[in-house]
Structure formats: structure tokens, C-alpha cells
């Protein structure tokens, strides 16, 4: 495979020089962070008053972790490290798990982000000859603008389609010969379901690649999208606290996401004991910005669960890879005492050929016990079959789930199009034990 680099020097430098530069940039970042009331206080609590106090990485590990609540408490300006006149944009997280957090950017911060985005997209083989249709929501959410500027920086034609309006997405794809799209995996599955209704087949499209991110998804979902459209699908990881998309991205080998270590220090910790877990065991990802000026963040608890691959990637990039995100620490469902991640359920469902592309997970109280229900969309063919076949299919889904999560859930089959679809991040888990009854549709 002919590997394409955006910045060969940075991508393929040796480990030692990368780590030396990390420490250097860390010191600069700590100096900048000390301009903020938040970090002045936080660092003082461990006896650090200046960047001089960071001599080795051992000193770095003494810095207390920063949480999402810290960012909220610092709202609006306690984590801003430069005068407001130097700030040119702000972004906010989508607030999936509560009040959004705000991140400010200087012009230099945005240039740094754009570099990372261009590097990420190039790693998948994308070039200036590509036509890039960005189906992520434009706005405060970082999914839209991040890769938008990355695509322009590469020199490709960028179509700022934003999310939703399936008909228009198809029209843009056909009119301009879109070769690369960026969307949530659930939206791409939804889009494929609508192709037929619009009288379009995948052969009418010039599509070659998709970047998917913003929500957890399994390897089986990737395969499903690849097979349905006949394209290559690359996993993209990012979060607004660390810019947005362009933090970690798969290269053409599609074997885990290179996390750009010249821009971030990564650590993996046990989310409960907070101990270091970089031995491949997996845990919560902790990130530190190395290039940001307006909102530097030290040792941020992403709450995302992943692990670092120990081996080198054949592409020759020095930046280590992280595995597919298994879920968030706060996604974990404890059902009658058993730990279940929604991603385990998804994996089972997506492996079954009968299942469609949409599902829902429901947890509720049934007397003293917890009850798990999994709703799965299946093709209409299944419903025209004998009722006995239908029951046999339900039993098979149940058995496969039981084998994976050790719990036997209730299983409901639904016709395609019956479960709600989302243009942004999909909401598939409804935990009614916590009064999470907001938008349950068609129960
Ligand atoms: P919010 O935390 O409000 O959802 P963001 O819009 O910043 O805010 O979303 C970032 C989060 O989205 C990440 O922390 C992660 O949980 C999830 N995410 C982003 N990309 C991926 C991906 N490729 N796979 C799984 N989860 C992802
Ligand atoms: Zn690689």
C-alpha cells in the first residue's frame, strides 16, 4: 500500500524526539494554563507555581485530573488563558450527558486543529481530487466545522451539507459526484435505508469513503456500512474539549485510530482506582492538550473507554493507536447486578443477517428486578414468514445476547422504519429506572 502522509516529518519522527517535544510543549502548556484562575488554584494545590516545576513526566503525573464538572464550574471564563480579544471562536459540547462545556479558540488554535483534521483525512487516502460532503451538524457542535476546514486545507471540494434532509443529501451526492462523506454511523445506515425510496442505487453514486464518528459503534456496524455502500469506512474520534474531530483517526489500514501525540498526551487509567492502565488492559482515556492557547486542558478525563495498541502500524506513523471506543464510563448499565455495555448488545445484533440497522435498548423496573428489553428492526420479509419462524428468530436473538451479556432479555422485532432515527448522535439506550422516559417513541 502506498502510504500518504500530510506531514511526513511529524508523522514518522522517532519516538524519542516525539517524547522530548511533548515535554517541551507540556511546559509551555502549563505556563499558559497558569494564566487561568482555575489552573492557578489547581496546580497550587500540588505545590506547582510555574512551568519550571515540570521537569520530567513524573512531575506531570502529579497534576490532578480535570473533569467535565471542572469545566462546567469554570464557566464562563475561569479556564480562559488569553485575553478575550485574542479569541476568535467558541464551541460547545453537544451536552449528551448534561450542561454543555465551552471551549475557546485563538486563531492559532484553529490553525492547529485544521492541521490535525487535514492530517487525519489524508491518512485515509483522501486527496485534493476528492469531493467531500460533510453531513455532520454545523454549529456549536464541532463535527461540522472541524473536518470542513480540514477538507479545504487539503484542497478538496467541500460541500457543507450539514445533517438531515436525506433527499437533498442524495441530490448533492449525485450532482457533484461526492466521493467522501462524514456522518454518524447511525445516519449512514438510515441514509442507505432511504436510497431505494428515492429510486437511487449505490451504483449511481461515486462514493468511495466515509468517516464515521461522534457515537460508539461496533466493528459490525462498520462492516455493515461498508457492505451496503461498497465503500471503505474509517473511524474518527474527537471531543469538543480536545477540539473535536481530528484527535484520533484511522489510517488506510483501518486497525485502530492513530492519536496525534504531538498535539495530545494520552494516558489510560482505571476509572475507579485512577491507576495507570497502559498495559493494554484498557480503561478511561485521559488527554492533555499540547498546542492550545485559549483553553489548555491538563489531564482531562474523557470518560471514554479504550485501550492503546502495543504494536506498530504498518503505515509507519509513530503516533500510537487506540482501539474503537467501547463506551463511556457513564454508559455502563448495571442490570440485576450484571455489568452490560450497550456496545456488547449492538455487536450481537449487527452480526445477525436478519437484523436491520436500527435498535433500542430499554431498561426498566419490574417489581424488585430490572428488566432489559431489546427492540430490533428487521426486514419486512421476516414478518411475512410463518409465526413460528418469527418466534424462532426471537429465540435466536435472545440466545446470542445471553451468550454475550449473560442476561436473557425480552426481544421485540419491529418493522423497518418503526424505531426513531437521529440526524445527530443516536439515542438508543433508555434507562427508565432513572426516569429517562423523554423521547421513547412507539413503545
Ligand atoms: P458530548 O460529550 O456532549 O457528547 P461531544 O460532542 O464533544 O460532546 O462528543 C464527544 C464524545 O462523542 C466523545 O467523548 C465520545 O464519547 C463520543 N465519540 C466521538 N467520536 C467517537 C467514535 N469514533 N466512537 C465512539 N464514540 C465517539
Ligand atoms: Zn497506521
Amino acid at each position: 500500500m502506498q502510504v500518504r502522509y500530510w506531514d511526513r516529518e511529524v508523522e514518522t519522527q522517532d519516538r524519542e524526539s516525539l517524547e522530548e517535544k511533548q515535554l517541551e510543549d507540556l511546559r509551555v502548556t502549563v505556563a499558559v494554563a497558569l494564566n487561568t484562575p482555575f489552573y492557578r488554584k489547581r496546580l497550587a494545590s500540588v505545590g506547582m507555581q510555574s512551568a519550571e516545576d515540570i521537569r520530567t513526566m513524573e512531575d506531570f503525573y502529579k497534576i490532578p485530573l480535570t473533569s467535565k464538572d471542572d469545566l462546567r464550574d469554570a464557566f464562563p471564563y475561569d479556564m480562559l488563558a488569553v485575553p478575550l480579544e485574542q479569541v476568535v471562536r467558541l464551541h460547545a459540547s453537544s451536552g449528551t450527558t448534561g450542561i454543555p462545556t465551552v471551549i475557546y479558540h485563538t486563531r492559532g488554535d484553529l490553525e492547529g486543529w485544521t492541521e490535525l483534521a487535514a492530517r487525519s483525512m489524508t491518512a485515509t487516502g483522501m486527496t485534493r481530487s476528492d469531493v467531500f460532503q460533510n453531513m455532520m451538524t454545523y454549529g456549536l457542535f464541532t463535527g461540522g466545522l472541524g473536518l470542513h476546514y480540514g477538507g479545504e486545507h487539503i484542497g478538496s471540494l467541500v460541500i457543507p451539507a450539514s445533517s438531515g434532509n436525506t433527499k437533498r443529501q442524495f441530490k448533492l451526492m449525485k450532482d457533484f459526484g461526492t466521493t467522501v462523506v462524514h456522518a454518524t454511523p447511525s445516519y449512514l445506515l438510515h441514509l442507505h435505508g432511504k436510497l431505494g425510496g428515492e429510486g437511487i442505487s449505490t451504483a449511481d453514486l461515486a462514493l468511495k469513503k466515509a468517516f464515521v464518528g461522534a457515537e460508539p459503534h461496533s466493528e459490525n456496524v462498520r462492516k455493515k456500512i461498508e457492505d451496503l455502500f461498497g465503500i471503505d469506512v474509517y473511524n474518527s474520534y474527537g471531543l469538543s474539549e480536545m477540539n473535536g474531530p481530528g484527535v484520533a483517526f484511522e489510517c488506510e489500514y483501518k486497525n485502530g485510530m492513530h492519536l496525534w501525540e504531538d498535539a495530545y498526551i494520552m494516558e489510560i487509567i482505571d476509572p475507579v482506582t485512577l491507576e495507570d492502565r497502559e498495559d493494554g488492559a484498557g480503561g478511561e482515556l485521559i488527554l492533555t492538550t499540547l498546542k492550545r492557547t485559549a483553553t489548555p486542558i491538563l489531564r482531562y478525563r474523557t470518560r471514554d473507554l479504550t485501550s492503546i495498541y502495543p504494536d506498530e502500524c504498518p503505515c509507519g506513523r509513530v503516533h500510537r493507536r487506540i482501539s474503537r471506543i467501547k463506551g463511556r464510563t457513564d454508559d455502563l448499565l448495571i442490570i440485576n447486578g450484571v455489568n452490560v455495555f450497550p456496545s456488547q448488545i449492538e455487536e450481537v445484533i449487527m452480526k445477525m443477517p436478519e437484523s436491520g440497522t436500527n435498535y433500542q435498548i430499554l431498561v426498566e423496573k419490574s417489581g424488585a428486578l430490572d428488566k432489559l428489553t431489546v427492540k430490533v428492526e428487521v426486514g419486512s420479509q421476516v414478518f411475512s414468514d410463518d409465526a413460528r419462524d418469527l418466534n424462532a428468530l426471537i429465540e435466536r436473538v435472545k440466545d446470542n445476547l445471553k451468550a454475550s451479556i449473560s442476561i436473557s432479555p425480552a426481544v421485540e422485532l419491529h418493522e423497518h422504519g418503526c424505531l426513531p432515527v437521529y440526524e445527530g448522535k443516536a439515542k438508543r439506550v433508555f434507562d427508565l429506572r432513572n426516569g429517562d422516559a423523554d423521547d421513547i417513541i412507539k413503545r
Side-chain angles (χ1 to χ4, degrees), residues 267-273 275-286 304-310 322-324 326 329 341:
E267 304 166 66
I268 303 276
I269 64 163
D270 181 315
V272 180
T273 64
E275 268 164 27
D276 175 55
R277 282 276 279 276
E278 280 189 38
D279 50 6
E284 181 178 347
L285 180 66
I286 306 295
D304 292 322
L305 296 166
T306 183
S307 56
I308 300 177
Y309 287 135
I322 55 168
S323 72
R324 188 172 285 292
K326 192 171 146 207
T329 49
F341 275 104

Side-chain angles (χ1 to χ4, degrees), residues 251 258 313 315:
C251 69
H258 289 283
C313 184
C315 74

Side-chain angles (χ1 to χ4, degrees), residues 161-325:
S162 198
S163 56
N165 199 341
T166 316
K167 253 189 195 343
R168 196 189 55 180
Q169 300 284 7
F170 286 136
K171 184 157 168 39
L172 291 169
M173 286 169 92
K174 275 178 61 174
D175 287 352
F176 303 109
T178 299
T179 55
V180 182
V181 293
H182 177 212
T184 59
S186 50
Y187 188 65
L188 283 184
L189 289 171
H190 168 67
L191 204 65
H192 188 271
K194 296 279 173 194
L195 269 175
E198 297 296 321
I200 303 172
S201 95
T202 49
D204 301 327
L205 305 173
L207 200 61
K208 290 189 299 198
K209 296 182 203 304
F211 307 145
V212 300
E215 60 190 25
H217 57 286
S218 59
E219 187 62 36
N220 291 327
V221 161
R222 183 223 300 264
K223 290 214 184 80
K224 199 146 203 158
I225 300 171
E226 291 194 325
D227 292 347
L228 289 171
F229 285 97
I231 57 171
D232 284 305
V233 172
Y234 300 88
N235 197 357
S236 149
Y237 171 76
L239 61 166
S240 53
E241 294 85 346
M242 294 290 132
N243 288 350
V247 173
F249 227 85
E250 281 185 325
C251 69
E252 284 186 90
Y253 287 92
K254 296 194 279 190
N255 56 357
M257 300 177 277
H258 289 283
L259 196 140
W260 303 123
E261 294 185 86
D262 58 319
Y264 306 98
I265 294 177
M266 67 165 146
E267 304 166 66
I268 303 276
I269 64 163
D270 181 315
V272 180
T273 64
L274 308 185
E275 268 164 27
D276 175 55
R277 282 276 279 276
E278 280 189 38
D279 50 6
E284 181 178 347
L285 180 66
I286 306 295
L287 292 173
T288 297
T289 62
L290 288 175
K291 303 271 191 205
R292 268 208 332 221
T293 314
T295 321
I297 302 184
L298 305 173
R299 305 194 73 207
Y300 182 65
R301 292 192 68 168
T302 65
R303 304 196 281 189
D304 292 322
L305 296 166
T306 183
S307 56
I308 300 177
Y309 287 135
D311 58 327
E312 281 171 24
C313 184
C315 74
R317 291 181 176 86
V318 65
H319 307 260
R320 288 175 299 166
R321 288 161 298 142
I322 55 168
S323 72
R324 188 172 285 292
I325 305 295

Side-chain angles (χ1 to χ4, degrees), residues 65 218 238 290 347 355:
L65 299 168
S218 59
L290 288 175
E347 193 147 356
S355 60

Side-chain angles (χ1 to χ4, degrees), residues 79-219:
M79 271 203 204
L80 178 61
V82 297
L84 209 52
E85 301 85 74
Q86 290 179 30
V87 176
V88 297
R89 200 200 294 167
L90 65 76
H91 274 287
S93 81
S94 51
T96 312
T97 56
I99 311 156
T101 49
V102 183
I103 301 297
Y104 302 95
H105 296 277
T106 62
R107 199 172 296 284
D109 291 337
L110 291 180
E111 281 166 9
W113 181 11
T114 299
E115 271 295 302
L116 295 179
R119 190 197 295 175
S120 300
M121 296 158 95
T122 303
T124 69
M126 178 173 161
T127 69
R128 56 188 296 187
S129 316
D130 277 300
V131 177
F132 174 59
Q133 187 166 329
N134 194 3
M135 302 180 179
M136 285 287 194
T137 310
Y138 280 63
L140 287 176
F141 174 61
T142 54
L145 289 176
L147 293 198
H148 175 99
Y149 285 107
E152 285 187 356
H153 198 36
I154 289 177
S156 59
L157 168 58
V158 179
I159 308 175
S162 198
S163 56
N165 199 341
T166 316
K167 253 189 195 343
R168 196 189 55 180
Q169 300 284 7
F170 286 136
K171 184 157 168 39
L172 291 169
M173 286 169 92
K174 275 178 61 174
D175 287 352
F176 303 109
T178 299
T179 55
V180 182
V181 293
H182 177 212
T184 59
S186 50
Y187 188 65
L188 283 184
L189 289 171
H190 168 67
L191 204 65
H192 188 271
K194 296 279 173 194
L195 269 175
E198 297 296 321
I200 303 172
S201 95
T202 49
D204 301 327
L205 305 173
L207 200 61
K208 290 189 299 198
K209 296 182 203 304
F211 307 145
V212 300
E215 60 190 25
H217 57 286
S218 59
E219 187 62 36

